[in-house]
Amino acid sequence: MTKKKIIVFMPAHNEEENISGVIARVPRAFHPQFEVEVLVIDDGSKDRTVVVAKAAGANHIVSFPHNKGLGAAVREGLKQCCLLGADIGIMIDADNEYPPEQIPDVLAPIIAGSADYTFGSRFKGQIQGMKLHRRLGNYTFTLLQAILLRRWIYDGQSGMRGFSRDAMENAVIVHDYNYAQVLTLNLVRQGYRLEEIPITYQVRTKGQSFIKFRQYVTSVLPAIYKEMRRPVSKRNVNPQTNRDDAGV
């Protein structure tokens, strides 16, 4: 029997110190009906990210000639997952903050056909090392998404997200700087079913985050406004669309 395909994709910008450990920890054989491949979207790295990723076992690497932004990298990751024939995709940050070992947990609702879009939710799980201002920022932007969508969300900025094939094909990310808020607003407004799964999160110990508070706020808020102004077509999502033959 031909196996279906899961692609784990990692946006990466100057992550030579972290990416090999993330790739090495990706579970490759956690479901008998799926094969797992790793895709790296190199967002114009100036260090050895690409060399390290290849040596660590990445199956596919797509490189931008210059840094375009996390939103652009995630958009490209979703596109490439579809081009490479993925039935399911999962994005995980390359900074070693999110647990690759929990990929099966985050994808379980999609494999079972009960969700189309999933978060690895830090605030439903365990968090180690997050500073107060980052925690408050997460709470604020998550609350904003919850208000706009009129449904409760625990972790609107998670860097670990699963996607059905249909969700990947129809997701729209309206700006290049970031993706977190606008992607969720877009998919939920289209009618895709969201589920959050508790994960364990550890703040990075190597490398540096791209996030600068003022730039983040001045980039993200206009993008949220732009997304909410866009008309979206409500999709009729079939609850059985993603259910595998085993009914897992």
Side-chain angles (χ1 to χ4, degrees), residues 12-53:
H13 177 64
N14 294 337
E15 292 289 0
E16 67 175 2
E17 295 182 294
N18 294 308
I19 196 168
S20 63
V22 181
I23 293 172
R25 292 162 56 201
V26 170
R28 298 279 189 150
F30 65 87
H31 193 290
Q33 295 185 6
F34 288 89
E35 61 181 0
V36 178
E37 297 178 358
V38 172
L39 162 67
V40 173
I41 306 298
D42 166 41
D43 189 14
S45 297
K46 300 299 184 184
D47 63 0
R48 298 175 64 252
T49 293
V50 169
V51 174
V52 171

Side-chain angles (χ1 to χ4, degrees), residues 20 50 79 84 89 93 113 117 223 226:
S20 63
V50 169
K79 173 185 173 182
L84 291 167
D93 284 350
Y117 177 43
K226 181 179 179 180

Side-chain angles (χ1 to χ4, degrees), residues 176-190:
D176 289 347
Y177 178 76
N178 198 14
Y179 68 93
Q181 301 81 15
V182 294
L183 178 56
T184 297
L185 293 172
N186 178 261
L187 287 176
V188 175
R189 289 171 69 220
Q190 288 188 64

